[in-house]
Amino acid sequence: MSTGSISNNTDLTVDDITVIDNKLLKRAVSAAALGNTMEWFDFGVYSYLAVIIGQVFFPDASTTAQLIASFGTFAAAFLVRPIGGMVFGPLGDRFGRQKVLAFTMIMMSIGTFCIGLIPSYASIGIAAPILLLVARLVQGFSTGGEYGGAATFIAEYSTDKRRGFMGSFLEFGTLAGYLLGASLVTGMIAVLPHEAMMDWGWRIPFFLAAPLGLFGLYIRLKLEETPAFKDHMDKREELEHNKPPLSVWQMLRTQSKPLLKCIGLVLLFNVSNYMLTAYMPSYLTGVLGLSELSGLLLVMVVMFIMMPLTLMWGHFTDRIGRKPVIGFGALGLIILSVPAFMLIGSGNMFWVFAGLAVLGLLHTCFSGTMPATLPALFVTDIRYSALAIGFNLSVSLFGGTTPLITAWLVDTTHNAMMPAYYMIGAGIIGLVTVLTLTETARKPLKGSSPAVATEAEAHRLIDKLRKQRRRKVQQKPA
């Protein structure tokens, strides 16, 4: 592949365009999505085992308190994600995306595997929930560098015309990992007696993190660095005096506007995400009184339907733009959250499924677009850092805490519609944020060269840019 930057002062050549190798692109997308699959395998397992984990590690609490404590431990991992983003993001911008993504894969696997090793509260007392918290903090720290790096990696490897579709595979991996974890837990609950699940069965899904992590590490270590980052490093080496990288505080000050946009979009994306994936299984069983197996199966079916819809929106966003799709989803949350939860609250299995399907459809408007939208907010030399920090700040404050806050709101107010009101608030914030965005579909990333699939396409792009330049010159007043 060839890389370079377009200058307004020289004639354009093919060397001024990045030509992406399709085989490398597919490998990059697969490797990045695999890490997200691994992360969300753990989330699917933990969400579907939340009730059992509460009983194992907090046996003296009431049923509601156990669920809140279990989700509290789940949410605690999100509190350290910004710290992970502040550590891994700058490392990714300085030493490369591929190296950091390989390291985060190792840490995620270790954290998940260790959860399966922790003795119960009955065996070691208060040390059990403390060790669970430590393992979750390790997971949270590592995932602080995972999503921002994976989204950056795919965005920088993709062509401008297909960045939305390629990025949507990252969230396809999210849903696949969640579905894999949820399916495994559901199958075990259906087959194993409750006593066996409480004693040793719940540990098995966490032990699977080790082989999955090793496979993901192998794939990531065989990747090449992204074309955009290589080009950036080449330019930096050409300068006589390399500028020192921005500190985190300088970045927060100089990139405040795009960071706020990132936080608003991620809030919209992740409140919808964690409401559906992390909270809904327990809401169906603990609040609405559905059987545990019925609640799990309903959410799984919706997840399965969401997978192709995510890719569909990713494809459409390359044609009609990111803003219309995200705006449609945000407006849908505002209008349809209450009706959807009324359907879910009916208790009728058909209407429960219909309500979940509405929420799932709206969420795919975000899952299919965000992996391409968020990296485009920032320039190449700070893209990993800024995205990791903005993404994880928003996830920590608003996304990962969604199950905990909504469980607390329902318990405090005795109003089963509180999750719907929470989603309406997220929709309003998201819609306001969308209105501030500049459309980035089919455009180069900030600070990067245009990226195309073939040299023939590069020649056509050069001709198009030259014609545009000539028209601008002709339109200038004499």
Side-chain angles (χ1 to χ4, degrees), residues 394-446:
S394 189
V395 171
S396 298
L397 295 173
F398 310 110
T401 56
T402 293
L404 176 64
I405 293 174
T406 47
W408 177 79
L409 286 173
V410 170
D411 183 56
T412 302
T413 65
H414 305 290
N415 186 346
M417 295 300 293
M418 290 306 296
Y421 304 145
Y422 199 78
M423 294 187 78
I424 289 172
I428 293 171
I429 294 172
L431 188 59
V432 171
T433 305
V434 169
L435 296 176
T436 69
L437 294 179
T438 300
E439 185 58 68
T440 57
R442 303 174 70 87
K443 295 179 181 178
L445 295 170
K446 289 183 179 180

Side-chain angles (χ1 to χ4, degrees), residues 69-152:
S70 181
F71 279 136
T73 308
F74 180 84
F78 290 86
L79 299 180
V80 298
R81 284 185 66 152
I83 301 174
M86 290 178 187
V87 172
F88 291 120
L91 290 175
D93 282 330
R94 187 161 191 177
F95 300 109
R97 288 71 162 109
Q98 182 260 354
K99 296 181 181 66
V100 173
L101 284 173
F103 187 73
T104 58
M105 176 67 79
I106 297 173
M107 286 196 68
M108 278 197 302
S109 302
I110 292 173
T112 304
F113 181 77
C114 285
I115 290 178
L117 297 175
I118 301 172
S120 67
Y121 186 94
S123 299
I124 60 173
I126 192 64
I130 292 175
L131 289 174
L132 176 64
L133 178 62
V134 170
R136 289 292 299 157
L137 293 177
V138 170
Q139 289 177 313
F141 184 75
S142 64
T143 53
E146 175 62 31
Y147 188 92
T152 295

Side-chain angles (χ1 to χ4, degrees), residues 121-236:
Y121 186 94
S123 299
I124 60 173
I126 192 64
I130 292 175
L131 289 174
L132 176 64
L133 178 62
V134 170
R136 289 292 299 157
L137 293 177
V138 170
Q139 289 177 313
F141 184 75
S142 64
T143 53
E146 175 62 31
Y147 188 92
T152 295
F153 202 81
I154 292 178
E156 292 184 348
Y157 248 115
S158 299
T159 61
D160 297 335
K161 289 185 177 180
R162 303 191 72 199
R163 186 166 290 117
F165 180 61
M166 290 296 142
S168 66
F169 278 96
L170 185 61
E171 289 302 319
F172 185 88
T174 291
L175 293 168
Y178 184 93
L179 193 59
L180 179 62
S183 300
L184 177 60
V185 173
T186 302
M188 293 178 65
I189 289 174
V191 173
L192 293 177
H194 180 71
E195 293 75 16
M197 282 296 298
M198 289 286 295
D199 186 26
W200 54 267
W202 68 270
R203 301 178 186 276
I204 293 176
F206 294 105
F207 288 149
L208 294 179
L212 284 174
L214 289 174
F215 177 69
L217 178 63
Y218 171 77
I219 297 296
R220 286 189 171 181
L221 288 175
K222 297 182 76 66
L223 288 174
E224 293 184 16
E225 193 50 79
T226 70
F229 184 77
K230 286 181 180 178
D231 188 34
H232 166 65
M233 292 301 291
D234 290 342
K235 291 175 187 175
R236 196 166 73 177

Side-chain angles (χ1 to χ4, degrees), residues 14-60:
V14 174
D15 291 333
D16 296 314
I17 309 291
T18 301
V19 180
I20 302 295
D21 185 303
N22 191 51
K23 290 183 179 180
L24 289 179
L25 170 60
K26 290 180 179 179
R27 284 171 52 192
V29 170
S30 299
L34 186 61
N36 236 32
T37 301
M38 169 72 193
E39 177 185 347
W40 279 88
F41 171 80
D42 165 61
F43 285 165
V45 166
Y46 196 99
S47 299
Y48 273 47
L49 288 174
V51 174
I52 292 177
I53 288 174
Q55 294 170 355
V56 170
F57 290 97
F58 310 98
D60 295 333

Side-chain angles (χ1 to χ4, degrees), residues 319-333:
R319 294 178 176 271
I320 64 176
R322 325 285 190 221
K323 292 180 65 175
V325 176
I326 301 172
F328 172 77
L331 190 61
L333 284 186

Side-chain angles (χ1 to χ4, degrees), residues 281-349:
S282 299
Y283 177 82
L284 294 175
T285 56
V287 177
L288 300 183
L290 295 184
S291 70
E292 190 173 15
L293 191 57
S294 296
L296 299 180
L297 287 173
L298 282 173
V299 176
M300 283 174 52
V301 172
V302 172
M303 296 290 111
F304 185 77
I305 295 171
M306 287 168 60
M307 293 174 71
L309 290 177
T310 293
L311 299 181
M312 179 197 75
W313 284 123
H315 174 71
F316 281 162
T317 194
D318 284 326
R319 294 178 176 271
I320 64 176
R322 325 285 190 221
K323 292 180 65 175
V325 176
I326 301 172
F328 172 77
L331 190 61
L333 284 186
I334 296 170
I335 298 173
L336 298 176
S337 287
V338 168
F341 271 86
M342 290 177 67
L343 292 174
I344 293 169
S346 70
N348 179 284
M349 295 297 286

